[in-house]
Amino acid sequence: MKHIVVINPNTSAATTAMMTDLVRCVLPANVSVEGMTAVSGVPMILNPAQLDASVAGVLDMGIAAARNADGLIVCAFGDPGLEPLRNSVGIPVVGLCEASMIEAAAGGRRFGIATVTPDLVDSFAQKAESLGFADRFTGTRLTDGDPQRLASEPDRLREALSIAVRQSLDRDGADVVIIGGGPLGRAAAALREQLSAPIIAPIASASALLLRLMTEADDAAGA
């Protein structure tokens, strides 16, 4: 049986459980999933300083988890520590932002982001540029209100995100919209079911990408 570890760079055990459940739901039964939660930091990453501060914890958790895992997911939309962790372990590692942008841009589609964290908007644009998708990225649309309070109220969160999704599609010309945030994972999954709009759920994107990379690694090892 293959084993995946979900690394939560924030300190919320409830968020870890939610994200781990979402990963488990989209993977085959022969893949086990375990979650790890940061021991220090913040319950929700809201700005670049907090994102940078989470990198050390991601590396510590990831290096420890890699001893018994076949793949790792860095489950924060800012992908903190993704590249250093890849360089430190010998197994596939994926991040939510990178994986969702790869899926969203497939076939030359234009994509936007709907999220709750205004202070991280610049980092999303930088990520799109680093992946070679700057010409396909239509920008980020934000919800109104305090991000943490909104994230704690599922109905309000889904309603606010649905408005941001519609703005991204109708005003920005996106073909598909990413719901940007690990803690927004359940809302993203619900919106995919509720809206006719094309929605990308980053946790599902990362899970699918990691499974593919693990399969490719097995094929290469057996060649």
Side-chain angles (χ1 to χ4, degrees):
M1 175 177 281
K2 294 296 184 181
H3 185 60
I4 286 174
V5 175
V6 173
I7 297 171
N8 179 11
N10 72 49
T11 60
S12 171
T15 298
T16 303
M18 177 271 291
M19 296 190 299
T20 303
D21 285 344
L22 288 174
V23 172
R24 191 176 289 117
C25 285
V26 299
L27 290 177
N30 65 341
V31 180
S32 62
V33 184
E34 173 190 2
M36 296 182 73
T37 306
V39 296
S40 63
V42 292
M44 186 174 181
I45 295 171
L46 301 176
N47 59 54
Q50 293 170 350
L51 194 67
D52 290 343
S54 72
V55 170
V58 168
L59 286 170
D60 288 344
M61 287 187 285
I63 291 169
R67 300 188 189 108
N68 299 302
D70 300 288
L72 305 174
I73 300 176
V74 178
C75 236
F77 197 66
D79 293 347
L82 180 61
E83 289 303 327
L85 183 55
R86 278 180 175 154
N87 294 331
S88 301
V89 299
I91 59 175
V93 184
V94 301
L96 298 190
C97 189
E98 180 181 87
S100 59
M101 285 188 175
I102 290 171
E103 180 181 352
R109 293 185 298 188
R110 290 166 54 81
F111 66 92
I113 294 172
T115 192
V116 300
T117 49
D119 291 338
L120 293 174
V121 167
D122 288 345
S123 69
F124 304 153
Q126 291 166 8
K127 188 74 170 188
E129 184 173 2
S130 72
L131 292 171
F133 299 146
D135 60 334
R136 303 181 201 176
F137 181 48
T138 64
T140 300
R141 286 287 176 171
L142 295 162
T143 57
D144 292 327
D146 176 76
Q148 288 180 285
R149 178 176 294 180
L150 194 58
S152 70
E153 300 177 15
D155 291 340
R156 281 192 60 221
L157 176 61
R158 288 193 299 272
E159 180 180 356
L161 284 170
S162 68
I163 293 171
V165 166
R166 184 51 57 192
Q167 291 173 336
S168 183
L169 294 168
D170 294 346
R171 300 183 186 179
D172 302 334
D175 300 310
V176 62
V177 183
I178 300 167
I179 304 299
L184 310 183
R186 200 166 295 286
L191 288 170
R192 289 184 75 178
E193 299 294 326
Q194 295 170 6
L195 300 180
S196 59
I199 300 293
I200 298 289
I203 292 175
S205 299
S207 301
L209 178 58
L210 182 59
L211 188 62
R212 190 178 83 224
L213 293 175
M214 288 164 53
T215 300
E216 291 173 355
D218 285 346
D219 291 344

